[in-house]
């Protein structure tokens, strides 16, 4: 992006009421020790994330827009304007932003325990998350999604819910983060359509990955994948039974139909797991992964089911994105090199 173009857009952004405080570049440079590599927390589509300490001692996380980022000023503005309006204990809190020179940054509350994926997919750290802690994390994510879908003054579809976008605070409470791809629905709108499919394939609902259709039910599908990963400690993209090319959804469904669901339990949970809760969560995950979005529960039903406040229907075969082929009906020709097919999973 040319400097003059960047400057013009910066002025445009600064003239808007973004509803959160402005941080000067000097403040952020001091807080991060000039973006020291020692303070680097991670990296995403937006750019790098750094830990910082303000002069008053408050810890912050600084999300710095990369000049080569696939996300840009529109996503930045989307995230600022969106998350500024959201207040919930299971959503990461935006503290402010910085637009100065060529720097574009978001400033968040610091999450000392990092992202959920750094625990559940790490053999050593996974032991920290016993069953009660995992169940609390599952319920917290569900409450955060319920707020986005139904309880905030906006109806918000996250569109990129995954384990790396769930952060853990000092008490290991989950907070949903990264709203750059989120979409707001107004009034009675319940679903949308896009020519630009964004997100992470392992977590995408089939109707979204293939036809660009998204709704609260596409987030519910992503929650179902995330739930399976928390229960098993395995990634959905991992291959089970290589000769059959099964992903986690297919593997879990086969165990369920064979009457052996407990074989899915993450080995480090074997001593702490409450089996009835585990089986309930597994059944809920399958209900969230139904092929047709109208067959999936909404998040208010999911929250009630998690707490045993409603009966659970018998799930039909879940659907899974297999391989890497996007069908020819894809709305986005730029993604046509990624090949995805949708498969109903039959028991062995």
């Amino acid at each position: 992006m040319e400097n003059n173009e960047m400057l013009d857009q910066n002025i445009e952004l600064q003239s808007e009421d973004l509803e959160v405080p402005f941080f000067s570049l000097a403040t952020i440079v001091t807080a991060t020790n000039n973006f020291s590599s020692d303070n680097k927390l991670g990296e995403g589509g937006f750019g790098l994330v750094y830990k910082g300490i303000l002069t008053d001692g408050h810890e912050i996380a600084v999300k710095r827009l990369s000049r080569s980022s696939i996300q840009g000023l529109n996503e930045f503005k989307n995230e600022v304007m969106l998350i500024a309006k959201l207040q919930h204990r299971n959503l990461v809190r935006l503290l402010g932003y910085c637009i100065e020179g060529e720097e574009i940054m978001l400033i968040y509350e610091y999450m000392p325990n990092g992202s959920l994926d750094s625990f559940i997919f790490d053999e050593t750290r996974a032991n920290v998350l016993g069953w009660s802690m995992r169940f609390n994390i599952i319920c917290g994510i569900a409450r955060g999604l319920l707020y986005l879908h139904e309880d905030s003054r906006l109806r918000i579809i996250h569109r990129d819910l995954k384990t790396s976008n769930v952060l853990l605070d000092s008490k290991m409470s989950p907070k949903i983060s990264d709203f750059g791809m989120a979409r707001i629905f107004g009034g009675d709108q319940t679903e949308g359509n896009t020519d630009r499919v964004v997100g992470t394939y392992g977590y995408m609902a089939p109707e979204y990955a293939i036809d660009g259709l998204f709704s609260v039910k596409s987030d519910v599908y992503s929650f179902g994948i995330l739930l399976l990963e928390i229960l098993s400690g395995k990634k959905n993209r991992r291959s089970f039974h290589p000769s059959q090319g099964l992903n986690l959804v297919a593997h879990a469904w086969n165990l369920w139909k064979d009457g052996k669901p407990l074989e899915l339990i993450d080995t480090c949970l074997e001593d702490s797991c409450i089996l009835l809760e585990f089986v309930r969560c597994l059944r809920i995950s399958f209900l969230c992964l139904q092929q047709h979005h109208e067959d999936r529960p909404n998040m208010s039903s999911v929250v009630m089911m998690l707490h045993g406040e409603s009966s659970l229907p018998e799930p039909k075969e879940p659907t899974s994105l297999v391989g890497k082929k996007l069908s020819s009906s894809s709305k986005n020709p730029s993604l046509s090199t990624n090949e995805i097919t949708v498969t109903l999973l039959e028991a062995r």
Side-chain angles (χ1 to χ4, degrees), residues 201-332:
Y201 283 134
Y203 297 85
M204 271 189 200
E207 72 275 5
Y208 178 51
I210 292 173
D211 293 316
L213 295 172
F214 61 91
S215 66
V216 292
K217 295 298 183 69
S218 43
D219 274 356
V220 169
Y221 182 94
S222 301
F223 177 79
I225 296 289
L226 195 149
L227 187 44
L228 266 188
E229 292 185 333
I230 294 172
L231 297 176
S232 66
K234 305 290 191 298
K235 295 182 180 181
N236 185 42
R237 299 295 293 272
R238 173 180 162 180
S239 179
F240 296 81
H241 307 293
S243 63
Q244 300 175 45
L246 302 182
N247 64 3
L248 179 61
V249 178
H251 175 61
W253 180 249
N254 279 335
L255 289 176
W256 176 267
K257 297 304 288 185
D258 288 350
K260 301 185 287 188
L262 301 185
E263 289 187 16
L264 191 70
I265 297 175
D266 191 337
T267 52
C268 66
L269 293 176
E270 288 171 351
D271 294 333
S272 64
C273 193
I274 299 172
L275 299 183
L276 284 175
E277 283 185 348
F278 176 88
V279 172
R280 173 173 283 267
C281 286
L282 184 55
R283 187 189 290 252
I284 292 168
S285 73
F286 291 140
L287 293 171
C288 292
L289 296 171
Q290 295 297 288
Q291 180 184 23
H292 301 294
H293 66 87
E294 61 269 19
D295 291 336
R296 300 171 206 150
N298 56 31
M299 288 311 300
S300 56
S301 297
V302 168
V303 169
M304 288 193 293
M305 288 190 288
L306 283 169
H307 293 288
E309 295 170 12
S310 66
S311 58
L312 290 130
E314 189 64 32
K316 293 179 278 191
E317 293 97 335
T319 187
S320 175
L321 296 179
V322 177
K324 297 182 178 178
K325 179 163 173 107
L326 259 181
S327 84
S328 58
S329 64
S330 172
K331 305 289 287 186
N332 189 343

Side-chain angles (χ1 to χ4, degrees), residues 172-209:
M172 300 300 279
S173 295
K175 301 201 178 200
I176 298 170
S177 71
D178 203 337
F179 289 82
M181 300 302 179
R183 292 288 284 268
I184 304 171
F185 280 1
D188 297 326
Q189 185 183 6
T190 57
E191 64 179 39
N193 186 283
T194 182
D195 289 336
R196 183 181 175 222
V197 174
V198 295
T200 306
Y201 283 134
Y203 297 85
M204 271 189 200
E207 72 275 5
Y208 178 51

Side-chain angles (χ1 to χ4, degrees), residues 1-170:
M1 184 179 289
E2 296 293 331
N3 287 353
N4 288 343
E5 184 185 350
M6 176 77 83
L7 185 60
D8 289 344
Q9 289 179 310
N10 285 357
I11 291 168
E12 178 190 338
L13 275 170
Q14 285 175 317
S15 67
E16 297 185 32
D17 179 11
L18 296 181
E19 298 187 25
V20 289
F22 173 81
F23 284 69
S24 71
L25 179 59
T27 298
I28 303 304
V29 167
T30 301
T32 60
N33 191 19
N34 197 21
F35 304 104
S36 165
S37 58
D38 292 340
N39 288 329
K40 182 180 168 183
L41 295 173
E43 191 169 354
F46 186 99
L48 297 174
V49 183
Y50 296 88
K51 179 182 178 181
I53 302 177
L54 299 174
T55 52
D56 63 5
H58 275 93
E59 294 179 315
I60 58 173
V62 178
K63 201 173 175 183
R64 188 185 192 191
L65 179 66
S66 163
R67 292 178 204 177
S68 61
S69 171
I70 57 169
Q71 293 175 255
L73 284 161
N74 286 337
E75 284 85 356
F76 172 86
K77 186 160 63 174
N78 189 53
E79 186 151 8
V80 174
M81 298 180 77
L82 188 63
I83 203 168
K85 295 178 171 67
L86 303 176
Q87 296 292 331
H88 189 273
R89 61 181 173 172
N90 295 117
L91 304 181
V92 171
R93 190 159 59 95
L94 182 69
L95 302 178
Y97 71 100
C98 172
I99 305 171
E100 198 167 324
E102 294 189 357
E103 292 288 355
I104 303 176
M105 292 175 282
L106 292 168
I107 293 87
Y108 287 97
E109 61 177 329
Y110 173 64
M111 294 285 107
N113 283 310
S115 57
L116 178 59
D117 64 324
S118 69
F119 281 89
I120 61 173
F121 301 137
D122 183 288
E123 287 186 13
T124 304
R125 300 185 87 198
N127 291 299
V128 174
L129 298 182
W131 174 252
S132 64
M133 199 172 282
R134 290 196 196 204
F135 186 69
N136 287 337
I137 288 170
I138 290 166
C139 293
I141 298 167
R143 285 193 302 269
L145 266 187
L146 173 60
Y147 172 81
L148 291 176
H149 291 177
E150 300 180 32
D151 293 342
S152 72
R153 51 194 170 119
L154 309 165
R155 180 181 289 124
I156 295 158
I157 316 299
H158 188 280
R159 295 206 300 169
D160 198 18
L161 184 69
K162 54 185 175 180
T163 52
S164 59
N165 283 341
V166 174
L167 304 183
L168 301 169
D169 69 12
S170 59

